[in-house]
Amino acid sequence: MASDVMGLLALGEVAQTMDRRAVMRLIGALKPAQRSKGEAPHRPFLMLWAIGEAVRGMPRKQHWSVVRDAVGPLLVRHGGVTSSREAALFPFWALRNDGLWEVEDAESLTMTSGGRRPLLSSLDEVNPLAGLPKGVYELVVADPELAAWAVGSLLLRFFRPVPGGLLRDVGLADLMAGRETTALRPLVGETFTDRRTIADSYGGNRVRGITPLADGILTVYSDEKGPYADGRIPEVNWIAYTGDGLSGHQELIGGNKAMAEYQRERRALRYWHRPYGGQWTFETWAVIVQRWMRWGEGEDGLRRKEFVWVLAPVPSPLEHTWPASVMAALNEDTGQVHDRTEGVVLAAGVDSGTARLDSYERYKRLARAAHERAKSRTRRSTLTTVERFLRSAPAREAVILRSGGLCENPTCLGHPTERTEADAPLLEVDHVQDLARGGPDVPEAMIALCPNCHALKTRGKNRRELQKVLLAEARLRHKSFSR
């Protein structure tokens, strides 16, 4: 992030001609100091106070004594520090390195022996003027929506929860009134033709699947065309999101490391989705309620271990707006990885000597793994439904294998041989008896259907008669493959 700030400075964007995105890039690059007891959000406190002063029409630059007497008590009241005068010194000097603060007559200040910051006595004596850069200040004053966006980003990233009375004390209560859930940009539902236009409007990387936008808030992208096997989880409509890394075993680095931090801190992220042939849409805010490890296939065609992050959609990034089912899942989550790779690798067709198995032996191993995992599933909850879906990987893989890539409905009149753009079978593995009604996660109770037949089985007028036919067909095929 420091390089981003230096890049902005080198390009001269911290100037009178600065635009909204440049301001948000600076805000998004801001990081709190790391102390032994955790983060020290001194600089975010100073930024909130400075934005509040600008919004209220106060001068752009104010003397050290004014900043000290205003920000010091704020840090004591809301930041847990003990000495207000010394607490104000650190952000007053350090924020300069973030391209968001200027100090006049800095060269006349006497520095500490290490040269890291000025002596408090020297600041008191010189009493220099300091404040937001001119370009930042003028944009914040002229654009209340930008000011609210900047404040919303700072609050969401550094204050969880927001201390009571903080907005009032920094002069931002009126600005943020009614903007709790709408201050941040983009808004849910915004669409773009491609990743380039998203980055042009809101910053962020144009290629990575897990990356922050300019305001520093993490964003994940899911493209129905691939290359990852993301998707909505039936019945609960939560999202199974594949981790970062196209080939080889995925590791807890890069985007996956950022996801783990968001899971630990229970922070909301943005979820973007593009249906096949459609546009990118900011579909929802979401929080991570579980992390799984499963076997998948990399871009190189080889089996690899991959993360699956379970995302629960929420109406806003503010925790008090999250549904009870999401809160229950978060409270139940231990943060540990649910590792389902051991045992599934054998079922997937590779034995301990890495020899390939024929389809019938693979099917039998998958079926055995599915039955083992179905034994202890009796508790009903949203999270249990998610777990059942993800744990049923062997059963689902067995059914796809058994189908040979064709719809298993014996009366199919749709498009049984249709393929996806990636040349995969256009099939949906379905529980003949719904999971919510106690349907087991075993191959003999599941069937592969084309989208037409799946719709008939789920919503058709004669669905109950069709379900009987499908259950009989699934059992017959299972029996045949199990011999």
Side-chain angles (χ1 to χ4, degrees):
M1 288 296 186
S3 61
D4 292 341
V5 174
M6 295 307 296
L8 285 172
L9 292 170
L11 290 170
E13 289 187 301
V14 184
Q16 190 169 359
T17 58
M18 174 177 282
D19 60 20
R20 300 175 93 221
R21 192 180 63 176
V23 172
M24 291 312 302
R25 282 181 63 187
L26 291 171
I27 295 290
L30 184 64
K31 294 287 186 181
Q34 297 297 322
R35 304 289 172 81
S36 58
K37 295 182 180 180
E39 293 182 345
H42 293 61
R43 284 176 290 168
F45 268 112
L46 178 55
M47 273 305 302
L48 288 176
W49 176 82
I51 294 172
E53 293 293 284
V55 168
R56 294 191 300 118
M58 301 301 291
R60 179 171 71 90
K61 291 185 177 181
Q62 301 193 48
H63 285 286
W64 151 250
S65 58
V66 175
V67 179
R68 177 197 65 202
D69 294 344
V71 177
L74 274 177
L75 290 165
V76 172
R77 191 176 311 124
H78 301 294
V81 303
T82 55
S83 174
S84 63
R85 293 182 70 226
E86 291 186 2
L89 186 156
F90 171 74
F92 183 88
W93 189 251
L95 196 61
R96 297 159 57 252
N97 298 326
D98 300 287
L100 288 165
W101 191 252
E102 296 177 347
V103 178
E104 286 189 5
D105 301 321
E107 65 282 353
S108 65
L109 296 170
T110 303
M111 307 299 287
T112 60
S113 57
R116 297 180 61 187
R117 59 179 64 94
L119 294 171
L120 184 60
S121 58
S122 179
L123 276 173
D124 289 340
E125 179 182 348
V126 177
N127 202 19
L129 287 166
L132 297 172
K134 185 177 182 181
V136 176
Y137 176 86
E138 291 181 347
L139 272 175
V140 168
V141 170
D143 190 346
E145 294 298 328
L146 172 63
W149 183 4
V151 171
S153 172
L154 291 168
L155 294 177
L156 182 59
R157 292 169 57 214
F158 304 120
F159 301 95
R160 299 179 304 276
V162 177
L166 174 61
L167 290 177
R168 179 198 64 232
D169 291 347
V170 294
L172 292 169
D174 289 341
L175 174 72
M176 299 305 292
R179 286 192 171 105
E180 271 193 321
T181 59
T182 61
L184 297 173
R185 294 292 185 274
L187 296 174
V188 173
E190 286 194 37
T191 60
F192 292 86
T193 55
D194 51 40
R195 291 283 300 274
R196 178 185 59 79
T197 56
I198 297 175
D200 288 346
S201 297
Y202 296 113
N205 188 278
R206 301 183 182 191
V207 178
R208 295 173 187 163
I210 304 174
T211 182
L213 294 185
D215 61 9
I217 299 171
L218 197 63
T219 295
V220 297
Y221 297 89
S222 177
D223 191 339
E224 198 168 294
K225 191 176 180 179
Y228 297 106
D230 306 328
R232 294 277 180 165
I233 298 173
E235 300 180 48
V236 298
N237 206 35
W238 289 2
I239 301 156
Y241 186 83
T242 308
D244 195 12
L246 290 172
S247 297
H249 296 323
Q250 291 185 350
E251 301 178 63
L252 206 61
I253 58 176
N256 293 325
K257 182 179 180 181
M259 294 288 275
E261 292 173 355
Y262 267 61
Q263 179 185 16
R264 183 178 63 253
E265 298 171 2
R266 292 168 57 149
R267 295 170 60 183
L269 52 80
R270 296 181 175 102
Y271 174 76
W272 289 73
H273 178 249
R274 179 169 69 173
Y276 181 73
Q279 293 186 320
W280 283 105
T281 301
F282 173 24
E283 281 196 356
T284 183
W285 289 95
V287 289
I288 302 168
V289 296
Q290 277 189 340
R291 184 193 339 168
W292 290 67
M293 180 69 79
R294 70 181 177 193
W295 285 102
E297 186 174 294
E299 192 176 45
D300 55 9
L302 300 178
R303 301 289 281 181
R304 54 82 177 271
K305 296 180 180 181
E306 62 187 20
F307 288 110
V308 179
W309 305 91
V310 179
L311 311 181
V314 290
S316 85
L318 304 178
E319 187 171 314
H320 70 264
T321 68
W322 299 351
S325 59
V326 174
M327 295 304 301
L330 287 169
N331 293 332
E332 190 175 333
D333 178 37
T334 63
Q336 301 299 311
V337 180
H338 300 265
D339 194 339
R340 292 296 176 264
T341 57
E342 189 172 353
V344 179
V345 62
L346 296 178
V350 184
D351 65 16
S352 57
T354 69
R356 292 289 174 182
L357 306 172
D358 64 40
S359 295
Y360 292 96
E361 182 58 28
R362 288 174 60 194
Y363 182 86
K364 284 188 282 187
R365 293 191 180 196
L366 287 163
R368 283 199 298 270
H371 276 269
E372 284 297 316
R373 293 179 181 179
K375 287 181 179 178
S376 60
R377 299 175 199 167
T378 57
R379 186 168 52 90
R380 301 282 185 87
S381 71
T382 303
L383 204 53
T384 303
T385 303
V386 172
E387 291 173 352
R388 290 178 65 152
F389 171 80
L390 292 172
R391 285 177 175 171
S392 68
R396 299 170 67 82
E397 189 171 347
V399 173
I400 289 293
L401 173 66
R402 183 185 71 195
S403 73
L406 301 175
C407 179
E408 291 189 313
N409 178 9
T411 62
C412 177
L413 297 176
H415 302 279
T417 62
E418 192 64 44
R419 313 287 288 185
T420 68
E421 180 72 14
D423 198 35
L426 192 59
L427 296 174
E428 300 166 358
V429 177
D430 187 70
H431 295 79
V432 181
Q433 182 182 3
D434 293 341
L435 277 176
R437 298 182 179 180
D441 283 331
V442 292
E444 62 266 37
M446 301 164 67
I447 197 157
L449 300 174
C450 69
N452 287 341
C453 290
H454 191 198
L456 291 174
K457 180 263 177 187
T458 306
R459 303 187 299 276
K461 180 179 179 181
N462 300 314
R463 61 185 180 277
R464 303 199 185 284
E465 290 77 9
L466 178 58
Q467 289 168 10
K468 294 177 183 178
V469 172
L470 295 178
L471 183 58
E473 182 69 15
R475 289 172 175 171
L476 180 64
R477 287 171 176 258
H478 173 74
K479 184 177 180 180
S480 174
F481 263 74
S482 298
R483 288 175 182 172

